Amino acid sequence: MILAARYVLPISGPVIEDGAVLVRGDSIVEVGSLAQMRDRHPGQEVRDFGSAALLPGFVDVHTHLEYSVFRGLLNDLPYTQWKLQLLRKERLLGADDWEVSARLGALEAIRSGITTIADMSDSGASVRAAEEAGLRGIVYREVSTMRKDQVESVLSAARTDIEEWSASCAGGRISVGIAPHSPYSCHPALFRAAAALAIEEGLPVSTHLAGSRDEYDFVKYGSTSFAVDFSDPTSWREAGWLPTGVSPVEYLERWGFFEAPRVLAVHCVHVDDADIEILAARGVAVAFCARCNAKLAMGVAPLGGFARRGLVVGIGTDSPASNATMDFFDEMRVGLILQRAVSGDDGFLTAERFIRMATLDGARAIGLEEAVGTIEPGKKADLIAVDLSHSHQVPIQDPYAALLHTTNQDSVLMTMVDGRILFDDHSWETLDRDAIFSAAEPTRVKLQG
């Protein structure tokens, strides 16, 4: 099949006007102008999206699909209070609720042009939803305990789940990793043990790191509301937590966490030059979650500092529990505007740079750049078509700027993974939207309790 559009954005090369992409099976075979493609492949079916852009599907480097049903529940709370209320609400849900919630997240991801996810889950619901939906990515088995005497049993349970989840992903699009939740919810021995497991099994690793000022002060000084409000949920008081005197980044460095392969650190808002130097020296990638960080009053991550030290940075939507939507266009737009607002002329970022972060850099952040992130022969056919035909978009001088500043998830015309269409012409091909919406309603009612 030949897919054509007014603009093809390979990411790895210049924009092709009136371009086309030849797809065979699950792979991209050829990229060029539509006229050339028609001449070389006269009998090939052509799907022309018209005044639209074809580009690689978005790589969302931080998601929690199974938290989608919490959308709109905790809108007006700063991070620490939000997290505490979320922990309380979680207890209301059963296994079936987590399953439908993850499907709801997968539904929105596909609608938003997201083709690859890096998700954290402790239930496994995200694995099953992503596999059913046809998404690509990594699902990290999340672990947490602040008690040293529980570390061995927590890791044992995680190892069993990782084996089972991996065996269930027959399509090969989903791989499994491990993710200690955060420095404020994990004993340092758990970070060390998780790194050792990752090295032993070759697993990718992720963690929430230096996201809020409360987390930073708790780790370094043992103060803030984490030390009071989280005493029961995290059992830190039983664990005998003592202030470390160092930043969260240095804390994990001292416990050997960054010795693990393919570490993805989520947020990294409250970091200084010394922290960034550690991350760069260890080859740690960063998930930039601008809207979540702003909505929960966490702050703004220093992209300029990351760029100066050569860190790989991808974009994450986090979850509808913290971010309301998984709209990747909104995520890029807010992230870009916030960075310009706080940075000024110093390190001014362009629309093209952000779309690169959303595609190729996101793929690099999770080690999938050989398969996805650009439109090139030999890469997987993970593609999206985005409408650019409306009055608020014409005339288009720069398709990158038009994509970033004038579109949203409703602009997505088609989402494809492995050459298989998942979303087309306002309809999902792999998921039953109405059934998922209906199944989510009883869970919503539970959460009102």
Side-chain angles (χ1 to χ4, degrees), residues 20-215:
V21 181
L22 176 61
V23 173
R24 285 198 185 124
D26 63 359
S27 299
I28 296 166
V29 175
E30 193 175 338
V31 185
S33 73
L34 177 57
Q36 291 172 337
M37 212 78 77
R38 285 186 189 273
D39 287 343
R40 284 198 288 266
H41 308 282
Q44 195 68 233
E45 176 190 356
V46 177
R47 172 80 184 275
D48 192 343
F49 292 97
S51 186
L54 270 174
L55 65 155
F58 296 131
V59 180
D60 190 338
V61 296
H62 184 58
T63 64
H64 294 274
L65 296 184
E66 62 194 37
Y67 280 90
S68 298
V69 79
F70 291 90
R71 187 194 317 273
L73 193 65
L74 304 168
N75 268 332
D76 297 315
L77 296 170
Y79 178 76
T80 306
Q81 294 178 41
W82 169 85
K83 183 63 179 177
L84 187 63
Q85 292 301 318
L86 185 65
L87 288 170
R88 290 170 176 163
K89 290 291 186 181
E90 285 178 23
R91 299 168 190 158
L92 299 173
L93 302 190
D96 290 345
D97 298 308
W98 293 113
E99 297 291 332
V100 70
S101 187
R103 289 193 187 97
L104 191 63
L107 193 78
E108 186 179 5
I110 292 169
R111 184 68 177 93
S112 298
I114 296 164
T115 54
T116 299
I117 59 170
D119 191 273
M120 288 190 187
S121 172
D122 60 7
S123 71
S126 293
V127 176
R128 293 180 284 275
E131 183 75 9
E132 178 185 350
L135 289 164
R136 188 184 307 282
I138 299 170
V139 178
Y140 302 92
R141 171 49 159 91
E142 194 170 72
V143 293
S144 64
T145 182
M146 284 292 275
R147 292 182 52 174
K148 188 175 183 179
D149 61 353
Q150 293 179 349
V151 168
E152 185 176 347
S153 61
V154 165
L155 256 293
S156 177
R159 186 189 289 267
T160 298
D161 283 345
I162 289 168
E163 290 174 356
E164 291 178 356
W165 296 1
S166 297
S168 71
C169 299
R173 293 182 312 275
I174 304 296
S175 58
V176 183
I178 189 163
H181 176 268
S182 66
Y184 68 78
S185 64
C186 294
H187 191 279
L190 183 55
F191 279 104
R192 176 172 282 174
L197 177 61
I199 292 168
E200 176 188 343
E201 300 291 341
L203 301 175
V205 183
S206 189
T207 191
H208 302 93
L209 181 60
S212 70
R213 174 53 62 178
D214 276 358
E215 176 194 335

Side-chain angles (χ1 to χ4, degrees), residues 74-83 210-215 267 269-270 289-301 322-323 338:
L74 304 168
N75 268 332
D76 297 315
L77 296 170
Y79 178 76
T80 306
Q81 294 178 41
W82 169 85
K83 183 63 179 177
S212 70
R213 174 53 62 178
D214 276 358
E215 176 194 335
H267 301 314
V269 173
H270 296 276
C289 305
R291 285 194 300 157
C292 161
N293 296 163
K295 187 170 182 283
L296 299 180
M298 298 165 75
V300 181
S322 63
N323 196 19
L338 282 174

Side-chain angles (χ1 to χ4, degrees), residues 386-403:
V386 182
D387 190 6
L388 296 176
S389 67
H390 295 284
S391 59
H392 63 276
Q393 298 170 311
V394 177
I396 292 172
Q397 309 295 342
D398 174 4
Y400 283 107
L403 280 167

